[in-house]
Amino acid sequence: MHVDAHADQGSNGNIDESLYSRQLYVLGHEAMKRMGASDVLIIGLKGLGVEIAKNIALAGVKSLTLYDPAPVAISDLSSQFFLRYADLGKPRATVTAPRVAELNAYTPVRVFPAQELTANFEYLNHYQVIVLTNTSLKDQLAIAEYCHQQGIYVVIADTFGLFGCIFTDFGKKFTVVDSTGEDPVTGIVADIDAEGLVAALDETRHGLEDGDYVTFSEVEGMEALNNAAPRKVSVKGPYTFSIGGVSGLGEYKRGGLFTQAKMPQFIDFEPLALQLAKPTQMISDFAKFDRPQQLHIGFQALHKYAALHEGVLPRPCHEGDAEEVLKYAREMAKVALEPVTVDEKIVRELSYQARGDLSPMAAFFGGLAAQEVLKAVSGKFHPIVQWMYFDALEALPTNSARSEELCRPLNTRYDGQIAVFGREFQEKLASVNEFLVGAGAIGCEMLKSWAMAGLGVGPKGKITVTDMDAIEKSNLNRQFLFRPRDVGKLKSDCAGEAVQAMNPDLRGKIVTLRDEVGEETEHVFNEDFWATLDGVTNALDNVKARTYVDRRCVFFNKPLLESGTLGTKGNTQVILPRLTESYSSSQDPPERSFPACTLHNFPNKIEHTIAWARDQFAAYFAQQPETVNLYLTQPNYIEQTLKQSGNEKATLESIRDYLVTEKPLTFDDCIVWARHQFESHFNNKIQQLLFNFPKDSTTSSGAAFWSGAKRAPTPLKFNAADETHLGYVVAAANLHAFNYGINSKGVSTEQFQKVLKGMIIPEFSPNPAVKIQANENEPDPNAQQGSGFSDQEELQKVVASLPAPASLAGFRLVPVEFEKDDDTNHHIDFITAASNLRAENYGIPVADRHRTKFIAGKIIPAIATTTALVTGLVVLELYKIVDGKDDLEQFKNGFVNLALPFFGFSEPIASPKGTYLGKHGEVTVDKLWDRFELPDMPLKDFLKEFEDKGLNITMVSSGVSLLYASFSAPSKRKERLPLMMSELVATVSRKPIPAHQKNVIFEVTAEDQTEEDVEIPYVMVKLNK
């Protein structure tokens, strides 16, 4: 069977950037081209196998072949999301292949042609990578040995309940092209001494590590270093590093850039047979340092049990079967090359769960194994060497019973989960009411895992999912519930429909919404809504929304599961009422910004020129048109502008230019305007800068002005035959025409050339009166002092030149809204051309459109493998919440980086506690989760409530309104004391309480029995509604 794709990446190696854009920023073009030339075979198509197949198909390979002739069983539906009830009894591969093929039109999906896998190994020679899941150890050994000899890469992965492992063998001298995927470190050289010690400019941290390699460019005095072979680094300090001997290279004079060189690494892998005897282990959880060797023995004991029982694994929670597995484990431990003391509890649990088939474990190992496949075929990122075991035993229920009877299969789709957790816990899952915020990449994976787990399928259960976004083509590469036919439709609706098809038990149990969760929708997500929820899961991509949901969860005392990805990196966080800190308790560092004078006059790297070009785009095509519209629509706009301090003249001149002096009537006028902008920015202003600071100028200390981070620019002479020069004019003219509603369709390159040829550009003469800020530490010489622009006569002259708004009734400009993913709107074209022209001015290496779009659009790189793995970790924590665990040590926050690879798990940080001295002794409060809840009552009774607790209230406020202060006038206090708290808020704030609001929050300051100010929780007054 061959399910062919409807499209082809093309023999020329072109990559569909509109589909793969977010993944390209993770892997890069070269890695993806190598993937596009690779054939992959996946053996075994239960939950784990289909997860791997899904992730590889989304990533894009030359072909994907599936092997699993076994008939579909009801228990397969526990985690195999592409199987349906109608598929029972049919070969797994035959029914799965067409559904995998739908994921990516560029990846043909085939069914392996032979029925017997090991009958003829020559079939395997067609593939670069072979993945084995749900395969006997005997077959693993035979296939892995053949593949090792033939140079075929092998990945073996298995999960048994809450246990899992992965093994890799990529042969001898496997080459890792880029082990981290991070951008190379770059810096400016301040000095290189005779011993080869390099100092970074202005004591800037170089960011290098011992063993790194660097190359040099633009070094003066040691020119032989420029573009020479990479030099190995020995770090001497945060600002210095050694590159070894430099004798014979001359004496360093000045200048120079260093760039980290990505050097290939070579790894020798051993075959499976050798690694079984003497494994090379990678630690997945440092809190379980000894666990891998236990599981290495335990997994082999399981395989032996299955081999002796016709491929059948031990029964759930069956003591006799567990004893047999333990016996085999002890025997293997005795003959192991390295001594192992068998942990009976662990091995026994492994036997109990051997038939367990959990969606989150399949998601975790499915993401991990698929990433290893991509590493194998691309050489991008460091592979696992060679074993990794992982378990999540903390997820086992402590508040639901497990026994052989309770874990016995019921001939249902949840049997794989019941085998691990038991029937009681399955019923708990079915009764959950969960809120999913976001239906993007993580949201799709989350809904899939919930559907497989049977979350919310019971009479009391429900899933609510909201997402305001519509599906775009770039989403299809990782948001796997969507298909090309869904583009333009709402994410929440399509995701809800897709998972109901996966598990029909969810019919009528999913509510899909299109509302953003925020202050504006509190009438939708009101108190009644929050009261019904058991928990909340965030699948968001911005901090503002995450923070808001987090605050609401704290307010309503709901557990929150938080996660995010950035390329190969991912993190998970558990927020538990009265136990942990919240998402908002810690903050990411602020986004890096560049000094204004660096952007305006002294850029030294492409990020500076891209930021400058982005600002130019916003100013010309968004901000200034918006200013013009304000002039046309707001009464007294001129009077308000004249009151501004410092920029009134620029504002008024901009309005004049857009409405009078530079107002276009035809598209040709837009071309003329764009050509003048080129001249202004890339020639005239550069000439002016060099007039103020000639290339041979020096600072007050006698040092060369154009040195270090300052690069002396060169004016550009316009050349219509230059692709970048013309590209700038084309993009700028089209955007200017858009502002004015001028039709730009069908304008040919010849028309541009004709207009440009007919233009006469006046010669530029520098203005001696112009002053330019030399660095960010100096005051801006152009900043206006005092109350504003002093030449009122000149201002009035500009005002007089403006047309009266009434004379332009109905006329408006159309500001541009930046959209990075539309390749036809000229937005990224303009920014790329403007940035690269400025880079040419300053001798900075240019960036292609792809990289410019990434930086200017602040795109978050994403890949399906990380998303799947992170979602698996989140759902494992959900199990614990549903079970009702309250032991913080059982929960785990996670951080992963699949590129390295690295896994870090930690206990969530406990919420902060405080104390105050009450009438009956010391009282402990949770500073984050605690609050005082009171009914609506008069202010005097409110104060009395706290007095009875031993607290003297000195101030009461709500929002920005101060309602009571012990130091306020006695008459005011007397007037307010009888008022109900709700009435008091409405009276002082002069705003009625919204009809949907059922409580009011009050902040109080108080003294305890020590007469010292103490920090106490806020007060929630419940309204009588």
Side-chain angles (χ1 to χ4, degrees):
M1 180 182 177
H2 177 190
V3 184
D4 227 332
H6 304 296
D8 183 18
Q9 295 258 38
S11 56
N12 58 2
N14 289 338
I15 295 170
D16 186 344
E17 292 190 5
S18 62
L19 175 66
Y20 290 117
S21 64
R22 303 307 187 264
Q23 181 176 290
L24 273 166
Y25 296 120
V26 182
L27 299 174
H29 283 80
E30 288 306 312
M32 282 203 58
K33 285 177 181 176
R34 288 192 285 269
M35 286 159 48
S38 302
D39 300 290
V40 178
L41 169 64
I42 296 177
I43 297 166
L45 288 171
K46 295 183 74 172
L48 176 56
V50 78
E51 281 281 358
I52 300 169
K54 176 255 293 178
N55 293 327
I56 292 174
L58 289 171
V61 292
K62 182 180 178 183
S63 76
L64 182 60
T65 303
L66 309 179
Y67 173 82
D68 194 336
V72 175
I74 186 72
S75 59
D76 295 345
L77 276 61
S78 294
S79 63
Q80 221 284 29
F81 47 83
F82 279 155
L83 296 179
R84 307 289 181 261
Y85 285 116
D87 300 325
L88 294 175
K90 299 176 184 176
R92 287 191 195 122
T94 305
V95 294
T96 301
R99 290 161 192 159
V100 174
E102 285 186 350
L103 294 170
N104 190 346
Y106 295 116
T107 301
V109 179
R110 303 178 175 90
V111 173
F112 191 71
Q115 272 293 109
E116 185 60 44
L117 191 62
T118 56
N120 186 355
F121 282 151
E122 289 186 7
Y123 277 121
L124 305 182
N125 293 339
H126 175 69
Y127 306 102
Q128 280 71 51
V129 188
I130 294 176
V131 183
L132 292 95
T133 73
N134 195 35
T135 309
S136 69
L137 183 58
K138 177 185 174 184
D139 284 352
Q140 288 178 9
L141 283 164
I143 294 169
E145 180 61 32
Y146 179 82
C147 290
H148 188 84
Q149 293 172 3
Q150 299 298 316
I152 302 168
Y153 304 141
V154 171
V155 176
I156 302 173
D158 275 311
T159 63
F160 301 104
L162 290 166
F163 298 90
C165 83
I166 185 171
F167 169 80
T168 61
D169 175 7
F170 298 165
K172 292 286 186 183
K173 300 294 180 189
F174 177 76
T175 305
V176 181
V177 178
D178 178 357
S179 62
T180 68
E182 302 294 336
D183 287 336
V185 173
T186 62
I188 301 172
V189 176
D191 183 53
I192 306 176
D193 70 12
E195 304 300 319
L197 186 71
V198 181
L201 183 70
D202 295 334
E203 290 204 340
T204 304
R205 290 180 179 272
H206 51 66
L208 296 166
E209 298 179 359
D210 276 334
D212 283 345
Y213 285 77
V214 293
T215 58
F216 292 88
S217 60
E218 302 182 20
V219 175
E220 295 183 28
M222 288 185 172
E223 285 82 358
L225 280 177
N226 294 331
N227 304 315
R231 290 269 191 144
K232 192 173 184 178
V233 165
S234 174
V235 172
K236 300 302 181 184
Y239 314 109
T240 57
F241 60 90
S242 172
I243 56 170
V246 291
S247 60
L249 298 182
E251 185 177 346
Y252 175 80
K253 291 181 180 177
R254 65 173 188 174
L257 305 173
F258 67 83
T259 302
Q260 180 187 20
K262 297 275 188 174
M263 304 298 287
Q265 296 183 29
F266 303 97
I267 303 173
D268 284 334
F269 286 81
E270 292 181 342
L272 176 61
L274 287 178
Q275 278 288 307
L276 277 173
K278 193 174 182 180
T280 305
Q281 306 262 24
M282 182 192 141
I283 304 296
S284 64
D285 187 342
F286 289 96
K288 303 174 180 179
F289 195 79
D290 297 327
R291 189 68 53 84
Q293 59 182 354
Q294 294 291 329
L295 296 182
H296 191 69
I297 293 289
F299 271 54
Q300 290 179 72
L302 265 191
H303 278 294
K304 183 172 182 179
Y305 178 99
L308 295 172
H309 292 80
E310 299 182 344
V312 176
L313 290 165
R315 287 162 285 186
C317 288
H318 193 282
E319 290 298 334
D321 292 356
E323 282 299 327
E324 187 175 341
V325 173
L326 260 172
K327 174 190 168 188
Y328 301 145
R330 293 189 190 104
E331 291 171 355
M332 292 172 180
K334 285 180 181 177
V335 297
L337 293 179
E338 295 181 3
V340 179
T341 301
V342 173
D343 186 327
E344 293 191 7
K345 184 179 177 183
I346 296 298
V347 175
R348 191 180 300 277
E349 196 59 65
L350 178 59
S351 176
Y352 288 168
Q353 299 181 35
R355 295 192 191 181
D357 190 5
L358 303 177
S359 178
M361 290 297 290
F364 178 90
F365 277 96
L368 186 59
Q371 190 67 61
E372 293 305 302
V373 170
L374 302 183
K375 292 175 185 179
V377 298
S378 69
K380 183 86 177 224
F381 309 138
H382 198 287
I384 290 171
V385 182
Q386 289 188 246
W387 293 93
M388 193 190 96
Y389 288 91
F390 172 81
D391 74 80
L393 288 182
E394 302 82 9
L396 283 174
T398 53
N399 298 306
S400 299
R402 296 167 66 224
S403 67
E404 184 180 352
E405 175 59 30
L406 289 172
C407 295
R408 192 187 304 277
L410 302 175
N411 199 35
T412 73
R413 65 177 301 130
Y414 308 115
D415 281 356
Q417 192 163 251
I418 290 171
V420 178
F421 298 119
R423 290 201 299 272
E424 290 181 9
F425 186 75
Q426 188 63 44
E427 290 166 5
K428 278 188 178 181
L429 283 170
S431 299
V432 168
N433 185 341
E434 191 77 7
F435 183 28
L436 177 64
V437 189
I442 289 176
C444 284
E445 291 285 343
M446 203 69 68
L447 284 170
K448 172 261 294 176
S449 278
W450 292 357
M452 296 297 97
L455 189 79
V457 300
K460 297 179 182 178
K462 187 168 76 170
I463 293 171
T464 304
V465 55
T466 189
D467 195 312
M468 62 186 293
D469 289 342
I471 298 163
E472 300 174 1
K473 184 179 179 182
S474 63
N475 300 150
L476 304 180
N477 174 237
R478 63 202 183 283
Q479 299 176 19
F480 87 104
L481 295 181
F482 309 139
R483 302 292 178 266
R485 61 180 176 270
D486 298 323
V487 170
K489 298 177 184 176
L490 281 175
K491 288 184 177 181
S492 55
D493 288 347
C494 291
E497 277 300 315
V499 294
Q500 288 175 75
M502 288 178 176
N503 184 357
D505 293 354
L506 278 172
R507 293 279 178 209
K509 293 295 180 179
I510 292 187
V511 177
T512 60
L513 303 171
R514 61 179 304 171
D515 302 284
E516 182 178 13
V517 183
E519 292 178 4
E520 305 79 14
T521 56
E522 287 185 1
H523 62 289
V524 177
F525 305 106
N526 54 28
E527 295 179 35
D528 290 339
F529 171 81
W530 284 93
T532 64
L533 297 177
D534 294 310
V536 181
T537 301
N538 267 350
L540 292 161
D541 62 358
N542 69 89
V543 172
K544 181 182 176 184
R546 283 176 164 139
T547 303
Y548 175 81
V549 174
D550 175 67
R551 290 202 310 268
R552 299 302 276 173
C553 286
V554 170
F555 182 79
F556 290 108
N557 273 265
K558 301 297 178 184
L560 171 65
L561 290 165
E562 177 61 67
S563 61
T565 68
L566 181 70
T568 59
K569 303 183 184 82
N571 69 282
T572 64
Q573 183 181 1
V574 191
I575 294 100
L576 302 168
R578 301 186 59 79
L579 283 178
T580 72
E581 66 175 17
S582 75
Y583 173 81
S584 306
S585 299
S586 58
Q587 294 182 333
D588 291 332
E591 193 174 315
R592 184 182 60 170
S593 60
F594 303 117
C597 73
T598 298
L599 296 186
H600 293 164
N601 297 304
F602 307 114
N604 58 64
K605 52 187 177 182
I606 197 66
E607 288 83 0
H608 295 157
T609 68
I610 292 173
W612 175 86
R614 182 72 173 82
D615 289 346
Q616 293 288 306
F617 174 90
Y620 279 128
F621 310 118
Q623 294 162 3
Q624 292 177 15
E626 286 167 358
T627 299
V628 171
N629 288 346
L630 288 175
Y631 167 73
L632 295 173
T633 57
Q634 283 192 3
N636 304 320
Y637 180 79
I638 294 295
E639 288 80 354
Q640 294 298 319
T641 302
L642 291 175
K643 293 178 183 177
Q644 295 176 6
S645 176
N647 63 350
E648 63 270 37
K649 181 171 182 282
T651 300
L652 293 172
E653 287 178 342
S654 172
I655 296 171
R656 179 199 62 197
D657 292 345
Y658 275 75
L659 292 179
V660 183
T661 56
E662 296 177 359
K663 181 182 179 183
L665 299 176
T666 67
F667 188 75
D668 285 0
D669 294 337
C670 296
I671 298 174
V672 170
W673 176 86
R675 173 66 181 87
H676 282 301
Q677 298 309 312
F678 179 101
E679 199 68 18
S680 170
H681 291 295
F682 308 114
N683 186 345
N684 300 352
K685 289 183 178 179
I686 300 299
Q687 287 194 50
Q688 182 68 56
L689 181 62
L690 291 172
F691 176 82
N692 287 54
F693 305 109
K695 291 192 175 184
D696 59 356
S697 58
T698 58
T699 65
S700 57
S701 64
F705 179 84
W706 295 106
S707 62
K710 289 188 172 72
R711 303 173 68 87
T714 302
L716 296 183
K717 184 175 178 59
F718 183 78
N719 177 8
D722 186 296
E723 185 178 341
T724 307
H725 293 210
L726 183 62
Y728 175 88
V729 172
V730 170
N734 274 280
L735 290 166
H736 199 54
F738 178 89
N739 286 150
Y740 288 89
I742 295 172
N743 185 12
S744 61
K745 289 183 179 177
V747 179
S748 65
T749 302
E750 290 74 20
Q751 179 66 13
F752 275 93
Q753 297 284 11
K754 179 182 175 184
V755 173
L756 292 170
K757 192 174 182 180
M759 289 181 65
I760 298 175
I761 305 297
E763 286 291 323
F764 175 75
S765 297
N767 183 352
V770 170
K771 296 179 180 178
I772 296 174
Q773 185 180 11
N775 63 65
E776 63 266 23
N777 298 320
E778 292 183 3
D780 185 352
N782 300 303
Q784 295 294 327
Q785 303 296 321
S787 60
F789 188 72
S790 58
D791 194 337
Q792 291 299 318
E793 184 178 338
E794 190 173 339
L795 274 181
Q796 290 304 321
K797 198 181 293 183
V798 178
V799 171
S801 69
L802 299 178
S807 69
L808 294 169
F811 176 78
R812 300 285 184 277
L813 293 184
V814 183
V816 167
E817 292 185 17
F818 179 61
E819 173 48 61
K820 59 186 176 291
D821 287 321
D822 182 350
D823 291 339
T824 66
N825 63 13
H826 302 284
H827 296 189
I828 296 298
D829 294 337
F830 174 84
I831 294 169
T832 303
S835 168
N836 285 342
L837 288 169
R838 191 159 176 83
E840 283 185 42
N841 279 139
Y842 286 87
I844 298 168
V846 300
D848 61 15
R849 189 182 190 280
H850 179 70
R851 177 160 173 75
T852 303
K853 176 179 173 179
F854 174 63
I855 297 172
K858 298 181 179 178
I859 289 175
I860 299 172
I863 188 168
T865 50
T866 315
T867 306
L869 185 145
V870 162
T871 303
L873 291 176
V874 172
V875 177
L876 290 171
E877 298 306 305
L878 177 63
Y879 284 148
K880 303 171 188 178
I881 292 173
V882 172
D883 182 48
K885 293 182 190 295
D886 57 7
D887 178 4
L888 205 57
E889 293 182 359
Q890 299 301 305
F891 291 89
K892 289 183 180 291
N893 290 343
F895 175 78
V896 303
N897 187 341
L898 297 187
L900 301 179
F902 171 81
F903 296 84
F905 297 98
S906 63
E907 182 182 309
I909 298 173
S911 54
K913 306 296 190 291
T915 60
Y916 69 85
L917 187 62
K919 282 188 174 179
H920 305 293
E922 189 173 84
V923 179
T924 300
V925 294
D926 190 304
K927 292 182 179 181
L928 178 63
W929 296 96
D930 274 344
R931 64 182 174 222
F932 297 104
E933 294 188 7
L934 299 172
D936 198 7
M937 60 178 65
L939 173 60
K940 62 180 180 180
D941 295 346
F942 182 90
L943 299 176
K944 179 72 166 51
E945 281 280 340
F946 287 93
E947 187 180 321
D948 293 343
K949 298 177 188 297
L951 294 168
N952 176 37
I953 301 297
T954 55
M955 277 196 297
V956 180
S957 62
S958 181
V960 297
S961 301
L962 180 62
L963 308 176
Y964 167 83
S966 59
F967 52 79
S968 60
S971 59
K972 182 182 285 188
R973 294 205 306 271
K974 184 178 179 181
E975 178 185 310
R976 294 184 177 181
L977 283 171
L979 296 179
M980 300 291 284
M981 296 302 289
S982 58
E983 185 183 358
L984 182 60
V985 171
T987 302
V988 176
S989 68
R990 298 179 183 176
K991 293 178 183 176
I993 297 172
H996 68 269
Q997 191 172 319
K998 294 190 175 183
N999 55 62
V1000 181
I1001 301 303
F1002 296 90
E1003 292 81 30
V1004 296
T1005 57
E1007 297 174 350
D1008 67 358
Q1009 297 295 291
T1010 65
E1011 297 187 356
E1012 295 289 334
D1013 285 342
V1014 289
E1015 188 178 346
I1016 61 172
Y1018 66 89
V1019 184
M1020 184 177 82
V1021 169
K1022 296 182 178 180
L1023 305 181
N1024 300 319
K1025 291 187 178 182

